[in-house]
Amino acid sequence: LGVRPATVRQTINSGWARPTDTKASLDEFGNELNATIYPDSLLSQARDRMGLLLKVEKKWKTFLQDDKAASLPLNPMDKPARAFVHHYSDFWNLKTESFDPQP
């Protein structure tokens, strides 16, 4: 992801990062060996929405590297796409909210 895990960073308040176990397994280069296990339903949706997935991941990576950003607005999307983003954001430990357009 390009974001250093909280267990590897030198200072506590040095930005956003996905939480990791305090006993993370590291290889000889200091890279985490833990793998996330995604539900089959999410994997199926990801295959169908690969374009959206790649765009959202890129935005999230940029957001997580920016210590000053408090939130990240995403473009409007259909209901199934929003549901996918909400579900996938749980694996990034990001809180998401949906906003309806003004009448």
Side-chain angles (χ1 to χ4, degrees), residues 46-57:
R47 284 186 201 102
D48 296 338
R49 301 178 184 284
M50 189 55 66
L52 173 65
L53 173 80
L54 295 173
K55 288 178 186 177
V56 168
E57 281 186 348

Side-chain angles (χ1 to χ4, degrees), residues 51-103:
L52 173 65
L53 173 80
L54 295 173
K55 288 178 186 177
V56 168
E57 281 186 348
K58 184 176 180 180
K59 288 183 179 188
W60 286 348
K61 287 176 190 177
T62 303
F63 170 69
L64 290 171
Q65 291 174 343
D66 184 2
D67 290 343
K68 296 177 183 165
S71 64
L72 174 70
L74 297 175
N75 295 332
M77 55 188 78
D78 61 5
K79 189 173 183 175
R82 272 197 316 273
F84 169 74
V85 170
H86 286 302
H87 191 192
Y88 188 47
S89 69
D90 292 341
F91 293 91
W92 287 65
N93 199 31
L94 293 172
K95 180 181 179 280
T96 57
E97 291 182 15
S98 293
F99 294 95
D100 290 328
Q102 294 295 325

